[in-house]
């Protein structure tokens, strides 16, 4: 299996794990998975929140906003850091759009590895393009 196929398999397994754990509303998962920009990232959950990582292994990246459940089926978009807020969203689709608008520049498919390996890869790539 080549590296791209391996990455895609790991990301897809991440999406399945998030579906299976039941901590995130199904409508939010469906909306996030339907968005190609987010479907290529590695999903993870915490306290009912839906997070997205640019790498596939823990300690996942914290440079993408995340979505929290709110009252009456609404959502709250925060981040990327816990101290940062984006705002309320009436629907899952609105919350997804708010995250997509704030994706880091060049945010592509999840990197197969850790945040440290991703940083080293990006540093090497940047040196070769400068």
């Amino acid at each position: 299996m080549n590296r791209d196929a391996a990455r895609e398999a790991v990301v897809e397994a991440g999406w399945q794990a998030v579906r299976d754990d039941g901590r995130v509303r199904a409508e939010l998962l469906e909306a996030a998975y339907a968005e190609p920009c987010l479907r290529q990232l590695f999903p993870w959950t915490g306290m009912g929140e839906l997070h997205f990582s640019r790498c596939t292994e823990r300690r996942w990246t914290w440079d993408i906003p995340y979505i929290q459940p709110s009252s009456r089926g609404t959502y709250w978009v925060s981040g990327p850091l816990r101290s940062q807020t984006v705002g309320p969203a009436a629907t899952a689709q609105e919350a997804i759009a708010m995250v997509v608008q704030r994706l880091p520049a060049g945010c592509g498919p999840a990197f197969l590895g850790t945040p440290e390996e991703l940083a080293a890869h990006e540093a090497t790539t940047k040196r070769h393009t400068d």
Side-chain angles (χ1 to χ4, degrees):
M1 182 182 300
N2 69 33
R3 192 158 176 85
D4 287 341
R7 176 190 41 78
E8 290 171 8
V10 169
V11 168
E12 189 58 37
W15 281 99
Q16 189 59 51
V18 168
R19 282 185 199 98
D20 291 346
D21 77 18
R23 290 187 274 176
V24 175
R25 293 176 187 161
E27 70 172 357
L28 178 59
L29 285 174
E30 290 172 18
Y33 190 79
E35 171 52 58
C37 294
L38 298 181
R39 184 174 50 244
Q40 67 182 346
L41 300 173
F42 191 84
W44 60 280
T45 62
M47 301 184 304
E49 304 162 344
L50 180 59
H51 296 257
F52 307 94
S53 177
R54 294 187 311 116
C55 66
T56 60
E57 293 183 31
R58 289 187 181 185
R59 255 184 31 247
W60 297 293
T61 59
W62 274 86
D63 56 354
I64 298 172
Y66 59 95
I67 304 168
Q68 302 165 280
S70 194
S71 63
R72 297 186 181 148
T74 62
Y75 298 92
W76 188 267
V77 180
S78 296
L81 301 176
R82 288 236 179 250
S83 60
Q84 298 170 311
T85 61
V86 176
T91 65
Q93 291 78 11
E94 185 180 334
I96 295 303
M98 292 166 77
V99 171
V100 169
Q101 288 174 340
R102 290 161 179 83
L103 288 174
C107 187
F111 179 82
L112 190 59
T114 66
E116 294 79 15
E117 292 167 333
L118 171 60
H121 172 75
E122 289 176 336
T124 301
T125 304
K126 186 175 185 327
R127 271 195 307 254
H128 288 116
T129 59
D130 287 346

